[in-house]
Amino acid sequence: MTAIMLAGGVLRVPTSTVLPDGTRIDGTRDITPDAPDYDDWLPHAIDEEASWHGDRDDEDILRRWRAAASA
């Protein structure tokens, strides 16, 4: 279980949802410092930069994300 510490102390944590037909969808959700479960996740948090693998795929994804965010 890993939580990623984003700017401002927000944690991005894993989550999953099961649809009525049984399909499981894995994703993430953000938890702000004032959320009731923040302290539960904080010990598992790593810095955002430490979570980057630094390989080409990560760099390509970041480049596309930054381009879309600036549009």
Side-chain angles (χ1 to χ4, degrees), residues 41-55:
W41 282 99
L42 189 57
H44 304 284
I46 60 173
D47 184 74
E48 185 175 17
E49 288 188 28
S51 71
W52 296 348
H53 301 275
D55 60 20

Side-chain angles (χ1 to χ4, degrees), residues 6-32:
L6 303 175
V10 173
L11 302 178
R12 179 155 294 151
V13 302
T15 189
S16 64
T17 302
V18 178
L19 300 177
D21 69 358
T23 302
R24 181 180 167 151
I25 301 172
D26 294 320
T28 61
R29 67 183 176 102
D30 291 352
I31 301 175
T32 58

